[in-house]
């Protein structure tokens, strides 16, 4: 997200959570495959249009990641957890 804020195109390793956080705003590679890493770097280096596309997508992605949005998602998660926690109370019988 810091790279998005600085207007940098992003290369990122494909892994747990990467697609959720980065969406289509980053060029991803397999971190266990050296050729995939090299190919991604070469692609980014040689394709100015792709770099600009990724920068634009990164800025849009960053705009959707506001403090207010984060707090709202946290409140929703806690609200969902409240229903689960309710079932932990002593004496609750699941019908």
């Amino acid at each position: 997200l810091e790279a998005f804020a600085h207007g940098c195109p992003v290369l990122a390793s494909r892994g747990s959570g990467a697609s959720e956080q980065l969406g289509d705003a980053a060029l991803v590679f397999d971190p266990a495959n050296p050729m995939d890493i090299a190919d991604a770097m070469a692609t980014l280096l040689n394709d100015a249009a792709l770099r600009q596309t990724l920068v634009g997508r990164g800025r849009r992605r960053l705009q959707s990641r506001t403090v207010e949005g984060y707090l709202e998602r946290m409140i929703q998660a806690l609200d969902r957890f409240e229903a689960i926690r309710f079932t932990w109370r002593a004496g609750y019988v699941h019908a």
Side-chain angles (χ1 to χ4, degrees):
L1 296 176
E2 292 87 0
F4 293 161
H6 289 284
C8 296
V10 174
L11 287 175
S13 62
R14 190 176 297 118
S16 178
S19 63
E20 291 84 2
Q21 184 172 18
L22 303 171
D24 66 351
L27 187 59
V28 295
F29 56 84
D30 178 357
N33 182 338
M35 286 307 299
D36 198 38
I37 298 168
D39 288 345
M41 292 172 68
T43 297
L44 196 62
L45 180 66
N46 295 315
D47 191 337
L50 176 60
R51 288 194 305 270
Q52 289 307 309
T53 296
L54 292 176
V55 167
R57 289 176 182 171
R59 287 192 172 132
R60 284 189 297 280
R61 190 99 179 143
L62 189 63
Q63 288 173 349
S64 71
R65 303 288 187 186
T66 64
V67 171
E68 293 81 10
Y70 174 78
L71 292 175
E72 180 61 32
R73 288 188 303 276
M74 289 300 299
I75 290 168
Q76 289 171 358
L78 291 171
D79 286 345
R80 287 189 303 270
F81 181 71
E82 181 180 20
I84 295 168
R85 187 177 173 281
F86 177 77
T87 64
W88 297 350
R89 293 185 183 152
Y92 178 76
V93 178
H94 185 66

